[in-house]
Amino acid sequence: MCYFCSECLCPVCRKWTKIPSWSYIQHPESFSNASNIMLKWFNSDLILRHLAEAKQLFKPLLRGDVINVIQDYFHVIRKERGGSVTFVNIHVRRTDYINFVEKRYKGHEVGRAFFLYCIREFLSLHPDSVFLVTSDDLAWCRENIRHPRVIFPRLLSPADPAVTDFLLMTQANHTIYDYGSFAFWGAALAGGRTMVADGYSPRLHPILAAIKKTPPPGWTLVDVTKLGDNVD
């Protein structure tokens, strides 16, 4: 496998035969004459069927300097709380993705009831949990995800904020997220328990379809239509 993306991913690259992953999976024999195959766009079903291998492949590639900053931050939280802490990441995707869900999947946004329900569930399982929020809309999160155990991390990271958010997700013990491939990968690399929103659209998102087909150990789908407006 080549990791020198700058050499291979430019639009004029002739070294690799770039094939959509689902096309290759359906008919691999059609590409038997290609010497170098690059699968474009990840296939969530393929990843979930080989989750352990994916973690083994990708986790060593994560930026160690940023991970050190995150682990130092976790240490401070443990010291402040005076004991063991279970770190649960809450990832909230909003901005452009809500419009994408509405148009592509005829769905609706996942509201605060989902996140507050998951917080209660995790506290019942892990009473020492704290919840670290990452999001592209922190203003909405501060207004709607209110709980004494919720933290909005501020990290002096050398990386871009989105990169820092992603790496924080991979270092958490467990994950709560609504939708999107960003959070899917963060949860997949983190391991532990994951609670994912379901039921927000009549058309099933490919990631949800893959989770239902090959449920990873510890992953739970939460039907948001059954939560109502109960956020107490």
Side-chain angles (χ1 to χ4, degrees):
M1 175 171 289
C2 174
Y3 297 118
F4 297 98
C5 299
S6 60
E7 297 180 7
C8 300
L9 295 181
C10 65
V12 296
C13 174
R14 299 182 182 276
K15 179 177 180 180
W16 295 87
T17 301
K18 301 175 184 178
I19 304 167
S21 58
W22 48 85
S23 297
Y24 181 82
I25 291 171
Q26 290 175 354
H27 302 288
E29 69 282 355
S30 301
F31 310 100
S32 58
N33 293 328
S35 57
N36 295 289
I37 294 177
M38 178 182 291
L39 300 183
K40 296 194 300 180
W41 306 298
F42 81 94
N43 183 287
S44 46
D45 182 49
L46 180 65
I47 294 300
L48 291 179
R49 285 191 280 117
H50 301 279
L51 189 55
E53 292 92 335
K55 290 173 65 176
Q56 186 178 14
L57 175 64
F58 290 114
K59 288 203 81 169
L61 303 178
L62 302 179
R63 281 187 59 171
D65 56 340
V66 182
I67 289 174
N68 289 338
V69 170
I70 294 166
Q71 289 297 335
D72 288 344
Y73 178 70
F74 285 3
H75 177 73
V76 170
I77 294 176
R78 290 190 192 98
K79 188 174 181 179
E80 290 175 347
R81 298 191 63 81
S84 66
V85 177
T86 297
F87 294 99
V88 183
N89 170 249
I90 298 178
H91 186 73
V92 184
R93 180 71 187 273
R94 293 183 59 80
T95 60
D96 62 314
Y97 208 81
I98 293 176
N99 184 59
F100 173 75
V101 167
E102 291 173 346
K103 290 188 175 181
R104 180 72 175 270
Y105 297 100
K106 310 302 179 184
H108 57 82
E109 70 175 278
V110 172
R112 62 175 181 161
F114 164 73
F115 299 104
L116 296 177
Y117 168 81
C118 293
I119 288 173
R120 293 196 300 270
E121 290 296 301
F122 267 109
L123 285 173
S124 68
L125 295 170
H126 306 284
D128 62 347
S129 294
V130 298
F131 301 89
L132 308 174
V133 177
T134 57
S135 178
D136 57 355
D137 191 351
L138 287 174
W140 184 92
C141 296
R142 288 191 175 96
E143 179 66 26
N144 290 277
I145 308 178
R146 297 183 179 183
H147 192 281
R149 295 288 187 90
V150 167
I151 299 172
F152 295 90
R154 292 186 176 182
L155 299 172
L156 297 176
S157 168
D160 177 87
V163 173
T164 302
D165 280 357
F166 181 78
L167 292 177
L168 187 148
M169 295 171 67
T170 70
Q171 300 304 297
N173 302 115
H174 309 288
T175 307
I176 298 166
Y177 81 90
D178 42 15
Y179 23 53
S181 57
F182 187 86
F184 168 79
W185 274 104
L189 294 180
R193 295 178 179 272
T194 297
M195 299 187 75
V196 188
D198 187 17
Y200 54 82
S201 63
R203 182 181 176 186
L204 194 61
H205 192 288
I207 290 178
L208 287 180
I211 294 171
K212 292 183 178 185
K213 182 179 179 180
T214 311
W219 285 50
T220 302
L221 295 175
V222 178
D223 188 345
V224 297
T225 64
K226 297 181 179 179
L227 299 179
D229 297 323
N230 182 16
V231 296
D232 295 329

